[in-house]
Amino acid sequence: MDAGEMAARSRASLKDRVNRVRGALALALQVGVAAGLAWYVSHHLLGHHQPFFAPIAAVVVLAVSVGERMRRAAEIVAGNAVGILLGEALILVIGRGAWQVGLAVLLAVLIAIFAGGSAPLVTQAASSASLVATLIPPQNDYYFSRFVDAVVGGAVGLGVMALLLPLNPLTVVGRAATPMLNSLAEGLADTAIALSKKDQAMADAALDRLRDAEAQLRAYNDAINAGREISTVAPLRWRKKLALAQYVESSDYVARALRNTRVLVRRSLSMLQDGEPIPPSLSAAIQALSEAVTWLRRELGEGTEPLAARAAAVRAVRACAEAYQAGLGFSGSVVVAQIRSTATDLITASGPTPEEANRLVRKSAKAPSIAQPAERPHQIP
């Protein structure tokens, strides 16, 4: 590796780090504000001398990842409070020691399980009970002050999350959608090039890219759940519901498009391996699908109706119909079917109902293929 390549990689790494910091800035602000507010309430308003559990509880609540964040955070508050209360009560009655710590943790786990808690709730209850049971009792505060601190910290964390500094749901969802949709668009584009150049290695690499995108799809689904939650519980974000609805309504069809595309790419690879005929219009159809995904990402992010995405998907259907008429082998016919299925998914993701999308695809398959630049249309073709 020469010095130029090392410098380029260093610049790329620095850019990635800066982007990660920018992406986490809102969450860091939430955590910092919540920790400070929790300490202020417990120390200045309630008079607790060392309310260290208050900022800790606030931080733990806000550290929950996206995806049903409010519910998981509430579980952590409950687990934290139960564990601390149980630890303080037991140590006050039976004293401190190895078996007392073990008993406190045992009971905390059983209570959390009995309450139907998830793994985070059980873990938080057990760790809080263990921590309290091994700490020196408070000297200047009354007993159970640490339980109150935990409740205060958890409540402040939830309040900051939902009321004071809620995350922007469109930012949360858009940040998760971008890598997944980029992987889908790039996988399709690489497949189109691989077919035109008869490059098996490139098609195989595109398939690997799309397999890796499954993890990005899970992150996207988690972000969709988080965005819906934020737009429901945070009054400051209620105005985002309409724009977010496009993401929500399209998510299932985007997932189907990703899975259909993997079949498309596998069959494209089979075409190359078996030496089947590959009309240029087939590569053009797959390239048009790539453009449809790119437009979908842009238009969802802008909160506009995805007309350009829809038009590109229609061009893909017209081009693949032309390829079918030119003559294809077995795998080529499967590729045409998957192009139509993927186009239907992308059209549905752009707004029409599945029935309307199917009618549009059938109609487009009978129309002549017309080469068009990838521009934003003013109406549906």
Side-chain angles (χ1 to χ4, degrees):
M1 182 186 302
D2 59 24
E5 186 177 353
M6 291 180 64
R9 289 193 178 186
S10 297
R11 286 194 296 271
S13 177
L14 179 61
K15 183 178 179 180
D16 290 342
R17 292 170 189 268
V18 171
N19 288 336
R20 286 200 297 269
V21 170
R22 290 176 59 187
L25 185 59
L27 178 58
L29 182 61
Q30 279 189 334
V31 171
V33 170
L37 280 178
W39 190 89
Y40 180 86
V41 170
S42 287
H43 183 69
H44 291 283
L45 301 186
L46 300 181
H48 295 179
H49 182 59
Q50 291 182 325
F52 55 86
F53 265 112
I56 289 175
V59 169
V60 168
V61 165
L62 289 166
V64 180
S65 61
V66 298
E68 299 182 342
R69 193 181 187 210
M70 187 63 68
R71 180 183 65 81
R72 295 181 185 181
E75 286 187 350
I76 287 177
V77 172
N80 204 25
V82 167
I84 290 174
L85 179 62
L86 186 61
E88 289 198 310
L90 283 177
I91 297 306
L92 180 62
V93 174
I94 63 178
R96 189 179 310 276
W99 71 268
Q100 290 95 332
V101 172
L103 179 62
V105 172
L106 171 65
L107 292 177
V109 170
L110 293 178
I111 291 173
I113 293 174
F114 178 79
S118 62
L121 189 152
V122 174
T123 301
Q124 196 63 39
S127 59
S128 297
S130 175
L131 183 61
V132 170
T134 55
L135 286 174
I136 298 174
Q139 300 298 321
N140 300 317
D141 295 336
Y142 57 89
Y143 277 100
F144 304 116
S145 63
R146 290 177 291 199
F147 165 72
V148 175
D149 290 340
V151 173
V152 167
V156 169
L158 291 173
V160 169
M161 182 191 302
L163 302 175
L164 186 59
L165 292 172
L167 299 176
N168 186 332
L170 293 180
T171 301
V172 171
V173 175
R175 187 174 293 127
T178 295
M180 188 270 295
L181 291 174
N182 281 346
S183 293
L184 178 54
E186 290 166 7
L188 285 164
D190 288 349
T191 301
I193 295 172
L195 287 178
S196 63
K197 293 184 175 181
K198 296 183 170 53
D199 188 334
Q200 294 185 29
M202 192 172 189
D204 196 43
L207 183 57
D208 288 339
R209 181 196 295 273
L210 292 168
R211 285 170 178 155
D212 293 340
E214 192 67 31
Q216 296 170 340
L217 176 62
R218 289 193 294 270
Y220 177 57
N221 289 333
D222 285 343
I224 288 286
N225 291 333
R228 295 174 67 178
E229 180 182 74
I230 295 168
S231 66
T232 299
V233 304
L236 291 176
R237 302 304 185 188
W238 285 348
R239 292 178 298 175
K240 305 293 185 180
K241 285 185 177 180
L242 185 60
L244 184 65
Q246 286 190 305
Y247 276 113
V248 174
E249 292 167 2
S250 68
S251 59
D252 286 343
Y253 300 101
V254 169
R256 294 180 188 178
L258 176 60
R259 288 162 188 145
N260 280 327
T261 297
R262 284 205 296 266
V263 178
L264 185 158
V265 178
R266 280 198 297 269
R267 281 299 176 178
S268 297
L269 185 58
S270 296
M271 289 181 69
L272 293 170
Q273 292 169 340
D274 297 340
E276 292 187 11
I278 304 174
S281 52
L282 189 65
S283 299
I286 298 174
Q287 179 60 40
L289 280 183
S290 174
E291 293 172 6
V293 175
T294 299
W295 277 117
L296 184 66
R297 175 183 59 76
R298 293 178 185 176
E299 290 169 319
L300 288 177
E302 295 169 359
T304 59
E305 185 179 2
L307 295 178
R310 199 177 308 167
V314 167
R315 289 200 304 275
V317 174
R318 291 173 177 169
C320 78
E322 181 180 312
Y324 188 79
Q325 292 170 1
L328 295 168
F330 174 76
S331 293
S333 299
V334 176
V335 169
V336 165
Q338 292 305 125
I339 291 173
R340 290 186 55 163
S341 295
T342 304
T344 302
D345 293 331
L346 294 175
I347 291 170
T348 308
S350 73
T353 65
E355 293 75 17
E356 292 169 341
N358 280 322
R359 284 196 296 270
L360 182 56
V361 166
R362 287 195 295 270
K363 178 182 177 181
S364 301
K366 298 175 183 177
S369 177
I370 303 174
Q372 299 179 15
E375 297 178 351
R376 189 191 301 272
H378 296 291
Q379 60 183 9
I380 302 173

